[in-house]
Amino acid sequence: MLNHGSINRRRLLRVGGGSLVAATIPTTWAIAQAKPVKVGLMLPYSGTFAQLGENITHAVEMLIAEKGGTLGGRPVQFVRLDDESKPEAGPQNAERLVKKDNVDVLIGTVHSGVQMGIHKVVRESGTLTIIPNAGNNDVTRSLCARNVFRTSFTNWQPAYGMGVALAKKGAKRAAFITWDYAAGQESGAAFKEGFEKGGGTFVRMLTLNFPETNFQPLLAQVPGLDVDAVGAFFAGGGAVQFVKEYAAAQLKPALCGAGFLTEGTLPAQGKAAEGIETALHYGDSLTGAKNEAFMKAFRAKAGRDADVYAVQGYDAAQLLAVGLDAVKGDLDNEAGLYKAMRGAKLESPRGPISFSDSQNVIQNIYLRRVENGLNKVVGVAVEALADPGTGCKM
Ligand code: PHB
């Protein structure tokens, strides 16, 4: 198919007997006429992950505004869908975007279970999909697909980093508390793997259903476990409440976890979060001109501080821009599009990033400690960590 950026103009520039004059330099007029790229944003805008979806959206819009509102010469049109973090509605919601709204690109989502629904649909339709958060390992392992990229993490990456760092600190016994769904289970398994690799003993995994918050029966079991540390995976509103209740229970084992536990949540957690150590691919004290400009622009747009979700959303849009620029807006040039995206080197607010063969981010996992309401970076848990991508064949 021809480049949408110039096709309308070509149609009009007929000379003599109706032959075509190829106008390959897109003028302002041609850009205005170019067919918009329809981008579906399938994200949670309600429920425990609502703020995560909002921050991703703000950051996607921010990058596109920085690019003058066009990608690859085409204006961008958004179709938003609130997936409510409901896995059972995932396939139907994704189908609505792909088949009814005919989106060219799908950016989504946050919840690993919902991601499975999206994945089922886009693996079949071939729709270009960029995951701005959900970490379920399989979508960039055994179920990997050429048209699916991830600018966030696998659930394995930050939790494995935390397990490694905890063992290095000398902890001997640890447990894990989380929601019983893909992200919680995979984070717990990765934390155990990292901790055991460093010589620690993993004692128990305690779970409750997503998105429940009746933490008390689980917290009541902690003193009986005889552990030095408790790891956790919670995020959004659930993380706010868990951290507050853990502090109120005055338990002896130190609380730690995948960094989502204290990410974007510190203003609401207040003193309860002070001193908690977590591992993540971003932190408040990372320096660098890119991050500083990003944080400032995000605050101006969203009215609150940037967090890892905003970074991942911004990078989803950056990656899309690389792809669309490479093919000059022609999404039918799949070979050119995927080649450019797989080879992309992005200047992310988290630092420079690249992509593994299974199209997931290779990145540093930082150790952070909450100090004065900030996730201060205190070390690198694992440098340039790539998910193993086990079983991915493209
Ligand atoms: C997930 O479900 O994969 C998930 C949700 C929220 C996070 C991280 C991972 O903060």
Side-chain angles (χ1 to χ4, degrees):
M1 205 173 105
L2 290 166
N3 173 4
H4 294 293
S6 54
I7 187 167
N8 292 338
R9 187 166 162 76
R10 275 186 187 148
R11 276 194 188 136
L12 291 169
L13 290 177
R14 289 177 183 278
V15 287
S19 61
L20 274 172
V21 173
T24 48
I25 303 165
T27 61
T28 310
W29 181 86
I31 287 169
Q33 296 302 306
K35 192 176 167 224
V37 186
K38 245 189 181 185
V39 178
L41 294 174
M42 181 163 158
L43 292 163
Y45 296 112
S46 59
T48 200
F49 292 158
Q51 185 173 305
L52 287 57
E54 286 164 12
N55 280 8
I56 290 166
T57 305
H58 277 306
V60 167
E61 290 172 351
M62 209 167 94
L63 183 279
I64 289 166
E66 281 172 21
K67 294 260 169 199
T70 62
L71 297 180
R74 296 172 65 181
V76 179
Q77 181 190 340
F78 291 111
V79 183
R80 285 196 200 195
L81 189 155
D82 178 8
D83 69 32
E84 301 171 74
S85 293
K86 286 197 174 140
E88 64 279 11
Q92 203 184 334
N93 281 332
E95 254 182 35
R96 208 183 95 194
L97 286 174
V98 168
K99 299 205 173 131
K100 187 168 150 283
D101 297 318
N102 282 314
V103 298
D104 300 301
V105 182
L106 198 158
I107 295 183
T109 187
V110 167
H111 182 288
S112 279
V114 181
Q115 197 68 47
M116 281 314 293
I118 293 179
H119 205 61
K120 221 176 98 190
V121 172
V122 299
R123 254 168 58 108
E124 203 167 297
S125 68
T127 310
L128 172 61
T129 299
I130 306 179
I131 307 170
N133 185 73
N136 40 341
N137 295 336
D138 286 347
V139 302
T140 52
R141 290 189 184 174
S142 59
L143 298 177
C144 72
R146 292 170 71 230
N147 56 311
V148 177
F149 294 78
R150 174 151 52 194
T151 56
S152 50
F153 54 88
T154 63
N155 289 323
W156 179 81
Q157 284 173 306
Y160 173 80
M162 188 64 238
V164 167
L166 185 64
K168 214 179 264 173
K169 277 171 66 88
K172 298 280 175 266
R173 289 166 58 84
F176 201 82
I177 306 185
T178 187
W179 281 312
D180 189 10
Y181 82 110
Q185 289 155 0
E186 291 175 352
S187 297
F191 174 83
K192 176 177 188 285
E193 183 188 332
F195 188 55
E196 288 180 344
K197 197 173 164 202
T201 302
F202 185 80
V203 176
R204 179 108 26 106
M205 178 117 135
L206 300 170
T207 62
L208 76 171
N209 290 335
F210 177 89
E212 288 174 8
T213 53
N214 53 331
F215 300 120
Q216 289 304 320
L218 303 181
L219 295 178
Q221 296 178 52
V222 169
L225 297 176
D226 185 26
V227 293
D228 313 310
V230 170
F233 167 86
F234 291 106
V240 171
Q241 195 175 328
F242 180 77
V243 164
K244 282 183 161 173
E245 290 191 24
Y246 195 95
Q250 298 192 310
L251 298 168
K252 234 164 92 202
L255 180 59
C256 64
F260 314 109
L261 192 62
T262 58
E263 189 68 16
T265 53
L266 292 175
Q269 288 164 335
K271 280 202 165 50
E274 286 293 306
I276 295 179
E277 290 193 351
T278 63
L280 200 65
H281 44 286
Y282 189 60
D284 289 325
S285 57
L286 289 183
T287 52
K290 182 78 187 177
N291 190 39
E292 277 154 29
F294 171 77
M295 290 199 302
K296 194 168 158 215
F298 188 86
R299 171 153 267 296
K301 181 171 193 330
R304 58 177 172 242
D305 287 334
D307 57 13
V308 78
Y309 309 107
V311 171
Q312 296 164 174
Y314 188 79
D315 291 341
Q318 287 211 87
L319 182 61
L320 180 59
V322 166
L324 277 167
D325 285 349
V327 297
K328 299 194 172 54
D330 179 8
L331 280 164
D332 288 343
N333 178 0
E334 286 184 355
L337 182 71
Y338 298 151
K339 183 162 180 260
M341 291 176 74
R342 292 181 68 136
K345 307 262 182 269
L346 300 183
E347 207 194 320
S348 168
R350 74 191 100 169
I353 57 169
S354 59
F355 294 85
S356 62
D357 288 348
S358 57
Q359 303 181 167
N360 182 66
V361 186
I362 301 170
Q363 54 198 341
N364 288 343
I365 301 296
Y366 299 101
L367 183 64
R368 308 115 46 92
R369 185 184 307 121
V370 180
E371 282 178 16
N372 300 319
L374 292 175
N375 285 298
K376 190 173 167 215
V377 173
V378 292
V380 180
V382 189
E383 214 179 311
L385 184 63
D387 185 88
T390 315
C392 173
K393 290 192 193 75
M394 289 214 205

